Amino acid sequence: MFIDTHAHLFYHNFENDLDKVIERAKNSDVNFIIVPGTDIETSKKAIELADKYDIIYAAVGVHPHDTKDWNNSLIQQIEELATHKKVVAIGEIGLDYFYDFSPKEKQIEAFTSQIDISLKMNKPIIVHNRDANFDMMNIIRSYKGSNLKAQFHCFAGSLEDARELIELRHYISFTGNITFKNMSSLRSILSRVSVENLLLETDSPFMTPVPHRGERNEPSNVKLVAEKIAEVHNLRTEDVARTTSYNAFKLFGIGMKPKVSFTYQIGKSLYINVTNRCNADCVFCDRKGDAMINGYNLKMSKAEEPDAEVYIKEIGDPKNYSEIVFCGYGEPTIRWDVVKEVAKYVKENGGKTRMNTDGHGNYINKKDITPELKDLIDVVSISLNSTDAEQYAKLMRVDPSLHNEMIDFAKKAKNYTHVVMSIVGLSEIDKEAAKNFVTHELGVDFREREYF
Ligand code: SF4
Ligand SMILES: [Zn+2]
Ligand SMILES: [Zn+2]
């Protein structure tokens, strides 16, 4: 269930007990381990380990510490090593101005040459960055628009850097240092980065998490890193494991895409994947793409949409969850009868219900469904998206008249249930205007969903 994306298992201190280390990793639910080389010799060793152990994959490259003697003949050697079927990345590569073991110019030359290898070979890079944020960000920025995909391991940049890297669709990972007492600033950055942009790593044999600090680190400890991430994000460890494993699948091609989920748990809430169909086609929505959320696959065809009984069976006792939420990559009111049947079961059995909707339920069902919300749906969360009808229509790719439709739905719904209106925090949206409109003119609650 866990993937340790960064463990230097070729280090001499693993020489005597690597079989046991791998065994302990497997017993701790570690499905895969990526071993990144740091020079040509250790890249070869990483490949040898990948050949020997089924759960190991390799990355090949020259670490900034070892770029002193970088020359172009190394390019061909790395390219050759990278053709091995278990080499999933070029790494670890990057910049390290803290130790400064190699001149900066050499580090930059080696780094950019190896990025070019990754583009040529269509493999991601695993990036090491220490005290070199300015140059690092400039270099990464210069590849905007290319196919570059990267993992920023042992992340040490700022929140702004994290945001920018995520916008560029790169991934970030933190090591056991997020468990250290004096690392609250790092945990604060971690708390602002969605798990959907994270990978797990140990950086073995270094960065051993609490309570094993001081000992040699090993992949079985990746669970402690995942537990800390879960704690910071108020999630379950399995939520972190599932989401980051899928991220590793996307970036490195390790593992596989999960089967469709009809219900899915995140934290203490259970979500109902009602449908993948929608009357809208929002520019920011991945409904027609992968339709994955937190490692769950919500992509289902109309024929696969289950009956209410299937959901009810999966829910079991609704009191086991803080709430049952009708929400997926689709508009739940398209299957309003199913929602009602499931909600009735939840309410009769002491559970709480919420429905996330685009607010077009009356238009979709060609009747006013809001009186039916009473005693069935405790909270209706409506996507406001924008107070401006034209902008709304553009964002959702719907007719502008649906803006009024949605407002009308909110006004009517508040007579029967608790209404919350939300916007996605896109930079072009006037959030203050939205908040004022929602709280003062409509008299319902407002929520902003962060988007980056
Ligand atoms: S309304 Fe919701 S499900 Fe439909 S396209 Fe927009 S974001 Fe996606
Ligand atoms: Zn590193
Ligand atoms: Zn490393």
Side-chain angles (χ1 to χ4, degrees), residues 6-8 11 36-38 63 92 126 128 153-154 201 203-204 206:
H6 205 103
H8 299 290
Y11 262 71
T38 53
H63 190 282
E92 83 177 88
I126 298 171
H128 171 103
H153 113 91
C154 196
E201 67 158 313
D203 202 12
S204 300
F206 314 109

